[in-house]
């Protein structure tokens, strides 16, 4: 299915024989929008189900392009309109907005995003949180971009849960700065996207990808994206 921001080309509802194949469908964004992913994590716009053994209901996610600098603190108590989440795998858990501490007391300010694999001992899944897609500012092609956010990432053991910050500039998703190390306390993560990755690119988008078996959780808040080394300006108010 799709909403008002795009449509499905092809047969949107298909009756398929057990272990049979479906027909191709394509996610088509409306003017001014772009395709993020399908709700089960597939990022290609075209898809065809093969050897089907169970019913499936997936949604094509479309969002509007935004500009940089950008800040999001999730205090609207719901996922901001231009963000998106997708997940796949056994007992997959979505990214959710919350203000409740985890069972060990982990929390961030006010409302924050959380993905929790502690809920299901048989968990083995990926869950991805997508930022909006942005036009690349001219200054970013000269100085690069900085992505910063507050984070708590708790893991049972190394390699049981993995967390990555990734980016896409129109040529596929890439990891930015390597795997994020598990930390049991709050800290502010900063990653720099080099200017060479942005020259001549039509857009840039980021995502936080959590790949986990049964483990603890990751919490994210206060996301900011800005041109690296952007000069500061001063506003002065006087009364006369």
């Amino acid at each position: 299915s799709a909403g008002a921001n795009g449509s499905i080309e092809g047969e949107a509802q298909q009756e398929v024989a057990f272990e049979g194949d479906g027909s191709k469908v394509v996610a088509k964004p409306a003017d001014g929008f772009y395709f993020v992913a399908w709700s089960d994590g597939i990022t290609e716009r075209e898809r065809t189900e093969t050897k089907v053994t169970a019913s499936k209901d997936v949604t094509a996610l479309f969002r509007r392009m935004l500009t940089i600098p950008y800040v999001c603190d999730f205090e609207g108590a719901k996922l901001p309109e231009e963000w998106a989440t997708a997940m796949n795998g056994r007992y997959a858990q979505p990214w959710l907005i919350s203000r409740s501490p985890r069972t060990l007391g982990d929390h961030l300010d006010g409302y924050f995003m959380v993905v929790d694999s502690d809920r299901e001992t048989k968990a083995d899944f990926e869950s991805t949180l997508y930022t909006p897609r942005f036009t690349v500012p001219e200054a970013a092609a000269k100085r690069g971009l900085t992505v910063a956010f507050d984070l708590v990432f708790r893991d049972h053991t190394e390699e049981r849960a993995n967390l990555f910050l990734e980016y896409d500039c129109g040529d596929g998703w890439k990891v930015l700065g390597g795997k994020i190390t598990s930390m049991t306390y709050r800290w502010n993560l900063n990653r720099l996207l080099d200017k060479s990755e942005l020259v001549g690119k039509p857009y840039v988008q980021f995502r936080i990808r959590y790949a986990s078996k049964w483990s603890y959780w990751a919490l994210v808040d206060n996301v900011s994206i800005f041109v690296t080394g952007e000069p500061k300006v001063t506003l002065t108010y006087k009364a006369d």
Side-chain angles (χ1 to χ4, degrees), residues 149-193:
F149 52 89
D150 293 333
L151 176 68
V152 174
F153 172 37
R154 187 185 288 268
D155 179 21
H156 270 305
T157 58
E158 187 176 358
E159 302 302 331
R160 180 174 289 276
N162 295 282
L163 192 67
F164 303 93
L165 176 62
E166 300 176 331
Y167 68 96
D168 174 38
C169 296
D171 50 2
W173 289 99
K174 304 173 186 177
V175 176
L176 180 58
K179 174 185 171 182
I180 298 173
T181 303
S182 175
M183 298 289 236
T184 57
Y185 54 87
R186 171 180 175 164
W187 86 104
N188 183 261
L189 182 80
N190 283 264
R191 292 281 168 92
L192 307 181
L193 180 56

Side-chain angles (χ1 to χ4, degrees), residues 16-34:
V16 181
F18 186 79
E19 294 189 340
D21 298 342
S23 58
K24 182 177 74 173
V25 294
V26 183
K28 304 282 287 187
D31 290 344
F33 292 83
Y34 65 93

Side-chain angles (χ1 to χ4, degrees), residues 38-109:
W38 296 90
S39 56
D40 61 355
I42 293 176
T43 56
E44 291 79 18
R45 292 195 305 120
E46 297 185 6
R47 66 183 295 164
T48 304
E49 311 304 320
T50 59
K51 298 182 179 180
V52 178
T53 59
S55 296
K56 180 180 291 188
D57 186 352
V58 292
T59 301
L61 306 175
F62 303 102
R63 296 294 184 268
R64 190 185 300 276
M65 194 91 75
L66 298 184
T67 57
I68 293 171
Y70 176 81
V71 176
C72 181
D73 60 9
F74 304 108
E75 291 307 311
K78 63 180 181 179
L79 186 70
E81 182 178 355
E82 307 305 333
W83 288 67
T85 64
M87 59 184 179
N88 66 81
R90 192 180 184 195
Y91 302 103
Q93 299 293 326
W95 284 87
L96 299 171
I97 195 159
S98 174
R99 63 184 308 171
S100 301
R102 301 299 93 193
T103 54
L104 297 181
D106 294 340
H107 68 93
L108 294 171
D109 299 329

